[in-house]
Amino acid sequence: MLVVMQAGATKEQIDQVLDAIRQMNLTPHPLPGATRTAIGITGNTAAVDERSIEVLSGVKECIRVTKPYKLASREMHAADTVIDLPQGTFGPNTFTIIAGPCSVENEAMIQKTAEQLLEKGVRFLRAGAFKPRSSPYSFQGMGLEGLEILKRVKKRTGIGIVTELMDTEYTDAVEDAADIIQIGARNMQNFSLLKRVSRTSKPVLVKRGLAATLEEWLMAAEYVMSGGNYRVILCERGVRTFSDHSRNTLDLSVIPPVKQLSHLPILVDPSHGTGKRNYVPPMAMAALAAGADGLLIEAHPDPDHALSDGAQSLDFTAFAKLLERLRQMAPLMGKKWQ
Ligand code: PEP
Ligand code: MN
C-alpha cells in the first residue's frame, strides 16, 4: 500500500502516519519525492482499511499496490532509482561499466586489471573471491584472502569493488571489502542471504536466477528492499533454455518490461550470458541499444590462462575496442558515458 502525503505535509504529520503504520504491525518505508513524500507500507496489508489512514492529518490518499513486489515496483515508486557512488552512477541517464576477471587469482593480476580499467575510464572492478562453481573440483576462489587483495588494490587505486557474497557467514567480510555486493544467479532465491544483505550498508547487485521469471527476480529485489536496503541493481545474465549455441540465452527482451514494472537500474552481463568471448561485444552493444543502464563484463589480463571463465573473458585489447564503440553509442541512447 502507498500513502501519498499532501504536498505541504509537515514532519509531525509524516511521523504520525509512520507511528500509526507501526502500530498496525506493518513496516513503513518513507519515500521522499521532489514535490511530496509518499510512504510505502509492507507486511500483510490485506486487512488494513485504508480509510483509517486516509483520515490522518496531512494524508492525501492511500493507493493499493497490485503487484506482489511493492517497493521494487513503479506503482509505489514512479521515479527511476539513481544509485550514486563515489566511483560512478547507476541510473537511467548513465551507462556504467563494471569489468574484471571472473575470480581473484592473485594480487598482481587484480592490481594490473585495476590499472588497465582506470586508464580506460572504468571505475568499478568485478572479481569473485567466493566462486559458485558447478564442480567441487574446480577452483573455488581465494575466499577471505581474495577479499584482502581486493581491499589493498582499492586502497592503492581507488577503484570501486564489486564482489559476490555466497554465504551469510561472510557478510561482514564482503560488506567491508565491497562497494557493491553481488548476489549470484544461483543464490537469487536464497532468502536468508537476501534478508541478510537487506541489513547491509552497501548497494546490492541481484543477478537473475538461471530459470527465474521476471516476477521471481523482482521479488528477490523486494526481499532486499523490504529489510531497508533500497539500493538494488538488477543484472540480466542469461537464462537456461533449449538453445545450446551459447552458455545461456541472454534475455535482452526482459529490459523493457523491467523498465516498465520497476524503477530499479538494470545491468546486463554479456559474458555469462553468452559464454564465448567473440559473442560478448555484439551482445554488449545490443544491451545498450535495448535500454540497459550498464554492463557487468569479464575482462582478464590473460584470458587463455584464467582460473575460471577464460572462454568468455575479453583481453584488454578487445575490451578497449568494445569500450570505444559503446562510448560512441551511449549518447545516441540518451546515456552519459560512465
Ligand atoms: C560471476 O559473475 O562470476 C558469476 C558467477 O555469475 P552468475 O552468478 O551470473 O553465474
Ligand atoms: Mn564468471
Side-chain angles (χ1 to χ4, degrees):
M1 190 181 286
L2 181 68
V3 183
V4 182
M5 299 300 292
Q6 289 163 0
T10 62
K11 183 175 178 305
E12 287 68 33
Q13 288 172 326
I14 294 170
D15 286 344
Q16 195 194 6
V17 176
L18 298 178
D19 281 344
I21 295 167
R22 286 191 199 102
Q23 272 162 26
M24 296 173 192
N25 275 331
L26 300 168
T27 310
H29 303 264
L31 308 163
T35 53
R36 53 166 179 71
T37 290
I39 301 167
I41 309 180
T42 58
N44 186 0
T45 56
V48 176
D49 179 353
E50 43 264 68
R51 284 171 303 184
S52 64
I53 297 173
E54 275 173 344
V55 292
L56 297 174
S57 97
V59 173
K60 181 165 177 271
E61 61 180 329
C62 272
I63 301 167
R64 288 228 172 245
V65 176
T66 54
K67 297 283 187 300
Y69 41 89
K70 310 291 179 189
L71 297 164
S73 76
R74 261 208 208 274
E75 283 180 74
M76 200 175 262
H77 192 288
D80 287 300
T81 282
V82 176
I83 298 175
D84 258 322
L85 294 173
Q87 299 87 356
T89 299
F90 298 88
N93 303 319
T94 44
F95 196 72
T96 302
I97 311 287
I98 301 170
C102 182
S103 310
V104 179
E105 297 175 7
N106 57 63
E107 187 150 354
M109 63 89 77
I110 294 295
Q111 178 70 28
K112 186 167 175 190
T113 302
E115 288 167 8
Q116 286 282 333
L117 295 181
L118 290 167
E119 192 189 297
K120 295 169 176 51
V122 174
R123 286 175 298 164
F124 289 98
L125 181 147
R126 58 139 297 141
F130 298 98
K131 293 307 305 177
R133 303 306 302 279
S134 300
S135 165
Y137 309 119
S138 302
F139 176 58
Q140 301 287 307
M142 291 182 74
L144 292 172
E145 200 187 334
L147 294 180
E148 291 306 313
I149 290 175
L150 291 172
K151 285 201 284 195
R152 285 197 291 274
V153 171
K154 179 183 174 174
K155 201 164 173 201
R156 284 196 290 267
T157 64
I159 201 156
I161 301 293
V162 182
T163 197
E164 179 165 350
L165 173 67
M166 277 176 55
D167 302 283
T168 51
E169 189 186 343
Y170 295 112
T171 311
D172 291 342
V174 170
E175 183 181 12
D176 185 38
D179 293 283
I180 299 174
I181 300 173
Q182 177 172 325
I183 297 296
R186 291 157 192 80
N187 271 319
M188 190 208 80
Q189 285 189 316
N190 180 339
F191 299 116
S192 18
L193 189 61
L194 297 173
K195 283 183 193 165
R196 182 66 189 85
V197 291
S198 82
R199 290 184 273 110
T200 63
S201 60
K202 299 289 170 69
V204 180
L205 183 132
V206 179
K207 292 191 115 185
R208 182 178 179 184
L210 273 71
T213 63
L214 173 50
E215 187 169 300
E216 288 163 344
W217 188 18
L218 292 177
M219 289 305 271
E222 187 76 16
Y223 261 92
V224 180
M225 299 175 84
S226 66
N229 189 346
Y230 306 118
R231 296 194 297 168
V232 174
I233 304 167
L234 301 167
C235 181
E236 160 62 32
R237 47 78 71 207
V239 288
R240 193 66 71 82
T241 69
F242 55 83
S243 279
D244 58 2
H245 57 79
S246 54
R247 181 176 177 182
N248 291 292
T249 298
L250 188 64
D251 183 13
L252 295 181
S253 72
V254 85
I255 299 170
V258 162
K259 289 283 177 191
Q260 188 181 324
L261 297 170
S262 179
H263 51 87
L264 296 173
I266 175 169
L267 307 185
V268 167
D269 171 352
S271 310
H272 294 86
T274 62
K276 290 185 191 155
R277 67 176 77 122
N278 291 350
Y279 302 166
V280 169
M283 296 317 285
M285 291 186 278
L288 168 56
D293 300 314
L295 297 171
L296 181 83
I297 196 162
E298 286 185 337
H300 190 288
D302 183 7
D304 290 337
H305 295 101
L307 296 184
S308 58
D309 285 349
Q312 66 193 35
S313 299
L314 298 178
D315 63 24
F316 290 121
T317 308
F319 180 60
K321 204 167 142 196
L322 170 60
L323 281 185
E324 181 48 29
R325 301 188 77 175
L326 292 167
R327 192 183 62 75
Q328 289 173 22
M329 280 177 67
L332 299 175
M333 293 305 301
K335 297 275 199 185
K336 191 170 164 289
W337 178 240
Q338 303 276 339

